[in-house]
Amino acid sequence: MSNVTRSQNGMPPTGANCWSPYERLSQRMLDVSGDRGVLKDIIREGAGDLVAPDALVLVKFSGYLEHMDKPFDSNCYRKTPRLMKLGEDITLWGMELGLLSMRRGELARFLFKPTYAYGTLGCPPLIPPNSTVLFEIELLDFLDSAESDKFYALSAALLLLHRRLAPPEEQHLVEAAKLLVLLNLSLVYLKLDRPAAALRFGQQALTIDQRNAKALFRCGQACLLLTEYQQARDFLVRAQKEQPLNQDINNELRKLASCYKDYIDKEKEMCHRMFAACEDGSMVGGD
């Protein structure tokens, strides 16, 4: 029988020399749940508002068991993590509470006691019964409850519009509705910092109206985020042609010019260093 006595809150007494790694780690962690069932250690601070209940979150996570180096669960191998809705898509109570304590860009480490994780039964064969688990979570972005509901409504609306068979005299109304939904979805994905998806929806909007300034602008913004500078310029110049006095478009063109200049300067610097290294090497290897 262990000679380590425990305090009333279930933690080993101060100075105990038989703590497990997770017990030692827990000593410097913040109590999120109020009963030390969910503990938190911030690795990198975030910014802005806390995650709202019912939000749609974009996160990277890895879950670990004590004394194991490899995660038993992780989505970090995915190029783009899927969006998850609080209260629906997240099964661990501890992760739900943990996310509600986070801000955009934050990276944190959490300990979840069994009650907030996989319970008394665990999750065979990976998770033993009564396991405390550690999760590292990075909050990339989130949409609040209103934005989340709008996103789902837009996605559902687009699906319905694609399926609708309208008579010829009403087809222009369906196309106009599709265009509006596609433009809004492109904007939502830009907010989520997912430019590839934003570009895809913007391009779909352009198949309906190839001169639509908003669609051209969204595509230009997405290409700029993807560092596809020539493509970004093409889209933005076309948008400017449609709306020459639009300040948002003109500002984005100035931003593009600045980004492209920085890119060219870095390329020149890298080439200069490569040539300098080659010259040094030839001198060292010369007669």
Side-chain angles (χ1 to χ4, degrees):
M1 184 175 181
S2 173
N3 60 0
V4 178
T5 59
R6 292 183 176 271
S7 61
Q8 290 183 351
N9 66 3
M11 296 300 299
T14 304
N17 57 6
C18 295
W19 289 352
S20 72
Y22 280 5
E23 286 174 329
R24 287 196 297 272
L25 177 63
S26 71
Q27 295 303 292
R28 57 184 177 85
M29 300 179 82
L30 175 69
D31 183 5
V32 172
S33 59
D35 60 359
R36 299 196 65 79
V38 178
L39 302 174
K40 176 181 180 181
D41 180 30
I42 297 177
I43 300 171
R44 184 183 68 231
E45 295 279 355
D49 297 330
L50 293 172
V51 172
D54 300 322
L56 198 63
V57 296
L58 193 66
V59 300
K60 287 186 177 181
F61 65 83
S62 294
Y64 299 86
L65 291 168
E66 199 166 22
H67 308 298
M68 291 184 67
D69 294 330
K70 293 184 178 179
F72 63 82
D73 188 18
S74 177
N75 73 343
C76 292
Y77 61 89
R78 295 181 180 177
K79 186 175 181 181
T80 304
R82 71 182 183 90
L83 290 163
M84 297 187 294
K85 188 170 178 63
L86 296 183
E88 294 182 13
D89 299 324
I90 297 173
T91 56
L92 293 187
W93 189 15
M95 184 179 287
E96 188 108 1
L97 289 177
L99 283 167
L100 290 172
S101 74
M102 298 184 74
R103 305 176 192 274
R104 284 183 178 86
E106 183 177 326
L107 175 64
R109 183 183 293 119
F110 294 90
L111 281 177
F112 304 147
K113 294 294 180 63
T115 305
Y116 292 88
Y118 299 95
T120 57
L121 298 178
C123 188
L126 292 177
I127 315 296
N130 293 307
S131 292
T132 294
V133 295
L134 182 146
F135 269 80
E136 286 191 358
I137 302 175
E138 181 180 9
L139 178 62
L140 302 175
D141 207 342
F142 71 90
L143 298 175
D144 64 28
S145 55
E147 291 175 317
S148 169
D149 291 342
K150 180 182 178 183
F151 174 82
Y152 276 116
L154 287 170
S155 301
L158 184 61
L159 182 62
L160 290 172
L161 288 168
H162 277 310
R163 290 179 176 176
R164 178 170 179 180
L165 295 175
E169 63 272 16
E170 294 183 9
Q171 190 59 38
H172 70 285
L173 298 175
V174 174
E175 292 298 296
K178 276 186 190 177
L179 178 62
L180 182 60
V181 171
L182 290 167
L183 289 172
N184 282 325
L185 281 170
S186 183
L187 177 60
V188 167
Y189 277 109
L190 282 171
K191 287 184 176 181
L192 286 171
D193 195 23
R194 294 181 62 183
L199 177 60
R200 185 172 69 251
F201 285 113
Q203 288 174 321
Q204 288 180 33
L206 288 173
T207 63
I208 298 173
D209 179 4
Q210 62 181 348
R211 295 179 57 182
N212 186 278
K214 280 189 178 180
L216 292 166
F217 179 55
R218 302 268 188 270
C219 289
Q221 287 179 297
C223 288
L224 179 53
L225 290 172
L226 291 166
T227 66
E228 298 287 348
Y229 296 124
Q230 185 58 54
Q231 234 185 329
R233 183 182 180 280
D234 291 344
F235 281 122
L236 292 172
V237 167
R238 287 169 61 191
Q240 188 186 51
K241 184 178 179 181
E242 297 301 324
Q243 294 185 3
L245 301 180
N246 188 306
Q247 285 301 311
D248 290 334
I249 296 172
N250 293 331
N251 288 339
E252 199 72 10
L253 277 166
R254 282 191 284 269
K255 180 180 176 182
L256 169 64
S258 176
C259 291
Y260 186 68
K261 181 180 181 300
D262 291 343
Y263 169 76
I264 293 298
D265 289 345
K266 288 177 182 177
E267 287 286 302
K268 287 181 179 178
E269 183 181 354
M270 185 173 67
C271 289
H272 176 74
R273 288 178 179 176
M274 288 174 62
F275 282 121
C278 289
E279 289 174 0
D280 290 344
S282 62
M283 289 173 65
V284 172
D287 294 335

